[in-house]
Amino acid sequence: MQNIGAANADDAFYRYKMPKLQAKIEGRGNGIKTNVVNNVEIAKALERPPEYVLKYYGCELGAQTNFDKGSGTSIVNGAHDTRKLSELLEAFIKKYVCCYSCNNPETQIKIKKESIYLKCKACGFVSDVDPRHKLNTFILKNPPENKLKKEEQKLKKAEEERVKDAEALGEKDKKEKKKKDKEKKEKKEKKKKEGKEGEDKEAGERGSEVSACADDDDSGGEEDDDGVVWMTDTSAEAANRRAQEQLTAATAAMVTLGNLEAEQEAARRRAEREARKAAEEEARKKAEDAKRAAEEEAARAAAEAKAAALASADPVVRLRALLADKDAPTIVKEIRAMTGVEGGTAGKMRVLYEAALAGSDARMDQVLKARKNVFAQFAQDAQSQLAQLIALEYLFAVAAPGRIKEAPYTLKMLYELDLVEEDVILAWAQKADAGKLLAVSAEAGRTVRKAVEPVVEWLRQQEDEEDDDGEDD
């Protein structure tokens, strides 16, 4: 696994990962193609449809692409190495995955009319995608589904419920506040009414007292406090003081409500982080389990195939399995111990040539060069060398006639590696029925000799030049 985005390649703690791109070149000639083996896994890690990634390769390389939804096979026509495809994948991530603001890959593709933009889930930034790229046309014709994950659906539902609860709480507080204001207003009006009545009563009592004092001068001027009535202070200063007290109480209620909403928001964010962390951990475990299961299945299949090949009665299949992971001495020992192979030494060489050269898609002359230490063990004398040439004739006449164009290169490599002497090659070329030992028809033998004629003619010229030099001396 590797980090998503080249800018985050060195961050050991970066949590957004994707598989490393794997590409395999298949076919030959005009039918050569590149299979992006894990394109589906990469697209899943990027949260993009695999068709988008594959189509981007095709647009940048000018090649046709083919995606099989059933098997997930992703084909790009032509031979393209992994390094080039990785560079194009990085360009795709930069243009169609990462946020243009925070560089976070957790974005969604949105389409509005004929425009494409990226909505970042982390910072909320909206990134406009360059409309000039050819992939935009494909995306507009094949828009993404943008389905919410289960965790996101839960978070969205929780957010809607939180907003609904907050609105209900606000409405309740509003009603209570309105009720309290009404009660205060009623109390205030009641106090004002009582105060007015008290003033009228006090004025009447004062008039009575004045009359009493005028009638009774000997009363000694005693004051009577029994008629005093306490009333609400209606001065401007008192009214401002009461208004300030009411304002302070309302502010305190608002602060309390604000603190409650802040605590609810913090709890929601904490729940979102925990849910996202749990989802990422679950996804990581699932990916690891899937990868481990795939590796185990591949190993089991390889082991079964190898066991079946080793147990096969066909010596070619058995030897091909040995060539995959055994050393040269083991392979040579197996060839020498073969029994029941028609044609004697030539028959054994037929098994070796068919298993080693016809069983590989690589050029036969290069495989021959890589396996020189095995072929050299059967080139000790002229008879063994002739057996190799007969096996070569069988290879291109019967086992792999479609690859006969490689015959001259393979014969020339045999000569250059000193596996077959010049005289033996010229003698084999003159003996048209040498392949009868391995049931090669005369017509097929002539076809093989015609294919290697340039090499044979070149060896004859070399021999003539050496003879001329000897006569001059």
Side-chain angles (χ1 to χ4, degrees), residues 160-440:
E160 292 175 352
E161 292 178 354
R162 186 193 69 80
V163 173
K164 188 176 180 180
D165 292 342
E167 291 177 352
L169 180 62
E171 188 68 23
K172 183 179 179 182
D173 292 341
K174 188 176 179 180
K175 289 181 178 179
E176 290 180 355
K177 186 175 182 298
K178 190 175 180 180
K179 184 178 180 181
K180 288 181 180 178
D181 291 343
K182 186 177 179 180
E183 291 176 353
K184 286 181 179 179
K185 187 176 180 181
E186 291 176 352
K187 287 181 180 180
K188 188 175 180 181
E189 290 177 353
K190 185 177 180 181
K191 286 181 180 180
K192 283 183 178 181
K193 185 176 180 181
E194 290 176 353
K196 188 174 181 181
E197 290 176 356
E199 288 178 356
D200 293 342
K201 186 176 181 181
E202 183 180 1
E205 289 178 353
R206 284 179 181 176
S208 300
E209 288 178 357
V210 169
S211 299
C213 289
D215 293 337
D216 190 5
D217 292 335
D218 297 333
S219 61
E222 293 181 358
E223 295 180 358
D224 189 0
D225 294 337
D226 293 338
V228 176
V229 177
W230 298 96
M231 64 180 181
T232 303
D233 191 353
T234 58
S235 63
E237 183 180 354
N240 289 336
R241 185 170 59 254
R242 285 194 296 272
Q244 186 65 32
E245 290 175 355
Q246 293 175 2
L247 181 62
T248 304
T251 305
M254 292 175 63
V255 170
T256 302
L257 179 60
N259 291 340
L260 179 60
E261 291 180 349
E263 291 175 358
Q264 291 176 345
E265 179 66 16
R268 183 188 66 80
R269 291 183 178 179
R270 185 165 55 253
E272 288 179 356
R273 287 196 299 271
E274 292 176 355
R276 190 182 300 113
K277 185 176 180 181
E280 291 173 355
E281 182 67 19
E282 184 179 358
R284 183 184 64 79
K285 289 182 178 179
K286 286 184 178 179
E288 291 179 354
D289 293 342
K291 182 180 178 182
R292 184 163 52 252
E295 291 175 351
E296 291 175 355
E297 179 64 21
R300 184 187 63 78
E304 290 179 356
K306 182 180 176 182
L310 292 174
S312 174
D314 188 346
V316 175
V317 176
R318 190 167 62 253
L319 184 59
R320 192 171 292 163
L322 290 173
L323 286 167
D325 59 353
K326 297 297 183 180
D327 54 6
T330 303
I331 296 168
V332 171
K333 183 178 179 182
E334 174 70 15
I335 295 172
R336 294 189 189 279
M338 284 182 183
T339 57
V341 179
E342 297 181 0
T345 303
K348 293 181 179 180
M349 291 301 96
R350 187 267 302 174
V351 173
L352 174 60
Y353 271 68
E354 192 173 349
L357 303 184
S360 173
D361 292 335
R363 285 182 49 174
M364 291 186 180
D365 57 336
Q366 297 303 316
V367 176
L368 183 64
K369 185 177 181 180
R371 295 285 187 179
K372 176 187 175 182
N373 53 351
V374 176
F375 288 89
Q377 299 299 318
F378 303 98
Q380 305 299 329
D381 51 41
Q383 185 178 359
S384 299
Q385 294 175 14
L386 180 60
Q388 290 205 44
L389 292 175
I390 295 173
L392 180 74
E393 181 178 348
Y394 176 88
L395 176 68
F396 290 109
V398 180
R403 301 176 66 178
I404 196 168
K405 290 183 179 180
E406 298 184 47
Y409 302 105
T410 308
L411 180 60
K412 189 170 183 293
M413 185 60 70
L414 282 170
Y415 175 74
E416 291 178 350
L417 296 176
D418 295 329
L419 296 177
V420 180
E421 298 293 336
E422 176 183 347
D423 296 340
V424 179
I425 294 175
L426 296 176
W428 167 78
Q430 292 295 327
K431 192 175 182 181
D433 60 346
K436 290 176 61 178
L437 187 60
L438 296 179
V440 177

Side-chain angles (χ1 to χ4, degrees), residues 110-121:
K110 300 289 186 180
I111 296 176
K112 186 175 182 181
K113 295 183 179 180
E114 296 298 320
S115 300
I116 299 174
Y117 60 91
L118 306 179
K119 178 68 179 293
C120 183
K121 297 180 182 178

